[in-house]
Amino acid sequence: MERSRFRVVVVGAGSIGERHIRCFQRTDHSDVAFVEPRAELRAEIAARYPGATPLETVEQALGDPSDVAVIATPAPLHVAQALSFVRRGAHVLVEKPLAVTPEGVDQLTAAALKANRVVGVAYVYRAHPVLADMRAAIASGRFGRPVELVAVCGQHFPLYRPAFRETYYATHASGGGAIQDALTHIVNAGQWLVGPVQRLAADAARCVLDGVEVEDTVHVLARHGALLANYSLNQHQAPNETAISVVCERGTARFEMHACRWREMTTPGGEWIDHSRPQLERDELFIRQAGSFLDAVESGGPPACTLADGLHTLHVNRAILASVTSGQWEQIPDVEP
Ligand SMILES: NC(=O)C1=CN([C@@H]2O[C@H](COP(=O)(O)OP(=O)(O)OC[C@H]3O[C@@H](n4cnc5c(N)ncnc54)[C@H](OP(=O)(O)O)[C@@H]3O)[C@@H](O)[C@H]2O)C=CC1
Ligand SMILES: O=C1CO[C@H](CO)[C@@H](O)[C@@H]1O
């Protein structure tokens, strides 16, 4: 069957916005425009992506509604901008984290429901085929009930984002710090694998990165119902590694993003059985995410990460920040699916 073509506008052509322009173009189902207020950057991006239409303001984009808007601005702007586009009839993919506070999210949810628009949150791990395979294996029940999740993650953030001090990353209020910027991917993946978090306790500090006040190292103890979880992440170690293990009653499954594999072990003291794929190029994840969002728009089905899932992760981000300050366990509010 012939696929629909979509008019897609990417709002904010910074680091991730440029990637979305490129990756939506690569789906071959999109005519892409983008909003970038800074004239110099707008011209540079337009030169790099000749098919993409440059716009200066969000108002211009709202005046000529697209089918899909991708919100790639700093987090405090996400919800209000998403709401404006939904009200103009667009489906919206919002970058992570959904926001820094839950303000306006109920309004966005109601508006999306009323207008029958798909709103998804761009937690891109959900587009990872290896993680999806491991999730399906766990969900099949062949390892028994999941009882524990252990995530161990780290990378040298300045290598990947040398200008981090000058971006939203520098403050919590603008969506920065290891918790809201990086760990949020991992807790969202944890939630996808084993369900929502009910309570948590956290510790975090700025250990190495200079020129910012926000934390670069974080440890979280969490309860996903009966399951015990433990998340650790830093943004300064040399290895770029992400490993998420799910220990079940009759076997352990481990996702190793850096090795592009998941592995299982079911015999006590036995050998790992590996399920590997060739290493993915970074764009490939985002092309898959774009394609999957357009599929949801086409079918009217739920996106990979729904607004409700993104809101739950937002509550988790906030509870981690609160626990670091209070030194107490924090409860996570329920979110209606
Ligand atoms: N999923 C992932 O892997 C990643 C997700 N992200 C997330 O994406 C978001 C953006 O991050 P990133 O691209 O790194 O940030 P950048 O600072 O690189 O880019 C943000 C862009 O938004 C633009 N912008 C700011 N305000 C407005 C506005 N009012 N209207 C239109 N455009 C505006 C900025 O324009 P100007 O040029 O004027 O500053 C800039 O181009 C964050 O929420 C971040 O957490 C980021 C990186 C990777
Ligand atoms: O979401 C993200 C994924 O990784 C990037 C590089 O470490 C971050 O900058 C970003 O915010």
Side-chain angles (χ1 to χ4, degrees), residues 67-218:
D67 306 306
V68 172
V70 180
I71 308 298
T73 51
L77 300 171
H78 288 174
V79 170
Q81 289 182 335
L83 184 58
S84 307
F85 280 94
V86 167
R87 285 185 171 150
R88 296 295 291 153
H91 304 275
V92 180
L93 180 63
V94 188
E95 254 309 332
K96 49 58 59 175
L98 173 59
V100 290
T101 76
E103 215 183 318
V105 178
D106 286 351
Q107 225 182 333
L108 176 59
T109 305
L113 198 65
K114 186 170 170 210
N116 194 23
R117 299 293 88 173
V118 179
V119 179
V121 186
Y123 278 106
V124 71
Y125 279 49
R126 295 189 182 210
H128 202 299
V130 175
L131 186 62
D133 286 349
M134 182 173 102
R135 180 174 182 263
I138 294 168
S140 76
R142 70 185 174 88
F143 303 126
R145 183 172 52 98
V147 296
E148 188 188 13
L149 180 149
V150 179
V152 182
C153 317
Q155 69 169 197
H156 193 266
F157 186 57
L159 179 69
Y160 302 100
R161 299 300 301 269
F164 70 92
R165 297 176 188 84
E166 286 83 53
T167 71
Y168 69 85
Y169 179 84
T171 70
H172 285 154
S174 48
I179 294 164
Q180 296 181 104
D181 191 49
L183 186 72
T184 190
H185 281 292
I186 311 300
V187 294
N188 183 271
Q191 166 192 337
W192 194 45
L193 291 170
V194 297
V197 181
Q198 274 77 42
R199 59 190 164 94
L200 61 83
D203 191 14
R206 186 185 64 77
C207 296
V208 176
L209 299 188
D210 56 15
V212 289
E213 296 297 318
V214 289
E215 74 288 341
D216 58 22
T217 308
V218 52

Side-chain angles (χ1 to χ4, degrees), residues 35-87:
V35 177
E36 174 50 49
R38 239 184 322 137
E40 201 183 327
L41 180 59
R42 192 165 64 250
E44 277 174 30
I45 301 281
R48 279 205 283 276
Y49 305 95
T53 308
L55 300 169
E56 185 180 350
T57 64
V58 174
E59 289 66 35
Q60 284 171 356
L62 290 168
D64 180 17
S66 294
D67 306 306
V68 172
V70 180
I71 308 298
T73 51
L77 300 171
H78 288 174
V79 170
Q81 289 182 335
L83 184 58
S84 307
F85 280 94
V86 167
R87 285 185 171 150

